Amino acid sequence: MNDSALITVGLPIALAIIMFGLGLSLTPSDFARVARSPKAVAIALVLQILVLPVIAFGLVTAFDLDPLLAVGVMLLAASPGGTTANLFSHLFRGDVALNVTLTAINSVLAAVSIPLITNFAISHFDADGELGLQFTKVIQVVAIVLVPVAIGMVVRSRSAEFAHRADKPVRIFSIIVLAAVAIGALLGERDNIGEYLEQVGLVTGLFCLISLSLGYGVARLLRLSQAQAVASSMEIGIHNTTIALTIALSVLDSTEVAIPSAVYSILMYVLATAFGFAISRGRTGAEEAVPSHRA
């Protein structure tokens, strides 16, 4: 599968279009909003960038995963939240403005955090002989993650009408690409899929549930509003697995590294939906309506 031109050329182009679409939904004010909700933003970013990789490392170590699968879980942990998190936050009455801010910041930070965490995992799990994220590939990661976002933001600043018209088609395209790549990655390893699911199904499921619970629980413990806690939970628990799949397949040239993200991309929709209903039950309108600027 990873020798296919569809993966080596088509997938990075598809991701670039997705990230361009993300850029079309962002404005400089999304970054400036940090000043109005510093506590909520700081909590979510610390959890996502620092705590999640530690949790992922603990899980892959505890379950003694195969080195390539372990690298795949760490790559998954390093991938940022995506626009799907915004949708889930909206469905369960989260602070969508906070999600947009976090997505904007994470899109920038991911260009640094993904190479750092992935290279650490490759070295620690002795996968150097099979994988390598050298400087040129790091530049490739930056190019497919950050550059399209910046271009999208420039286009939006010049034509908000075009950005608005393009939003829905790009979202639909994103879902189709994610589904196609996840299914393709699983089919590409169909001879080993039973073993892989046995090894990473529980790990990725636990990682998703822990991520969702951590985002919500820590936010509430630190006295953020219900809406902010929902936003934090969805941003941390719903990863942009298209980025992880693209890096695994077209940058690292490894279908096995892609398996954890492929499995996670399926599980996260089920688990995030169940979790959203669980934390929404019994909540009053007053709790949900706490203004987002109160951090």
Side-chain angles (χ1 to χ4, degrees):
M1 179 184 177
N2 29 332
D3 293 330
S4 166
L6 183 64
I7 295 300
T8 57
V9 178
L11 186 52
I13 292 174
L15 178 62
I17 294 172
I18 292 170
M19 299 308 288
F20 171 74
L22 173 59
L24 289 176
S25 69
L26 300 176
T27 66
S29 63
D30 295 322
F31 294 89
R33 197 181 291 117
V34 174
R36 299 198 293 274
S37 263
K39 182 179 177 181
V41 172
I43 290 170
L45 289 179
V46 167
L47 289 175
Q48 186 153 27
I49 295 171
L50 300 178
V51 178
L52 285 194
V54 173
I55 291 172
F57 181 79
L59 286 171
V60 299
T61 301
F63 282 84
D64 193 26
L65 289 192
D66 171 87
L68 293 180
L69 293 176
V71 171
V73 174
M74 295 300 291
L75 172 59
L76 169 65
S79 65
T83 53
T84 306
N86 303 353
L87 173 61
F88 270 77
S89 183
H90 172 71
L91 290 174
F92 295 107
R93 300 187 182 183
D95 183 348
V96 179
L98 174 59
N99 282 105
V100 172
T101 299
L102 291 171
T103 298
I105 297 172
N106 275 325
S107 299
V108 175
L109 296 180
V112 177
S113 62
I114 288 176
L116 283 176
I117 293 171
T118 305
N119 270 327
F120 163 77
I122 290 170
S123 174
H124 180 83
F125 296 109
D126 295 321
D128 303 76
E130 298 175 75
L131 303 176
L133 198 56
Q134 296 86 14
F135 180 73
T136 54
K137 292 189 175 182
V138 171
I139 296 301
Q140 188 178 348
V141 172
V142 174
I144 62 178
V145 173
L146 194 55
V147 174
V149 173
I151 294 173
M153 291 184 67
V154 171
V155 170
R156 179 189 171 107
S157 70
R158 298 187 177 185
S159 179
E161 183 183 348
F162 171 79
H164 178 72
R165 288 201 314 268
D167 180 65
K168 186 175 181 179
V170 172
R171 285 178 186 268
I172 294 172
F173 177 75
S174 302
I175 294 171
I176 293 172
V177 169
L178 174 58
V181 175
I183 293 170
L186 294 172
L187 290 176
E189 290 290 308
R190 55 187 174 275
D191 293 338
N192 303 311
I193 193 62
E195 181 183 350
Y196 289 158
L197 286 175
E198 184 179 342
Q199 292 184 63
V200 301
L202 182 57
V203 171
T204 53
L206 284 172
F207 181 62
C208 185
L209 285 173
I210 291 171
S211 300
L212 291 165
S213 302
L214 195 68
Y216 182 80
V218 172
R220 292 302 276 167
L221 185 66
L222 296 179
R223 305 182 67 81
L224 295 186
S225 70
Q226 167 71 5
Q228 290 174 328
V230 171
S232 174
S233 174
M234 296 305 165
E235 190 71 27
I236 292 167
I238 299 178
H239 290 264
N240 189 335
T241 49
T242 310
I243 290 179
L245 287 164
T246 303
I247 293 172
L249 294 170
S250 64
V251 178
L252 297 176
D253 300 319
S254 174
T255 306
E256 190 171 347
V257 173
I259 292 298
S261 293
V263 174
Y264 192 92
S265 66
I266 297 169
L267 290 177
M268 70 180 183
Y269 287 107
V270 177
L271 295 176
T273 300
F275 188 85
F277 279 115
I279 61 177
S280 298
R281 290 182 63 185
R283 295 293 175 183
T284 66
E287 282 182 293
E288 293 167 343
V290 177
S292 63
H293 65 271
R294 289 176 58 187

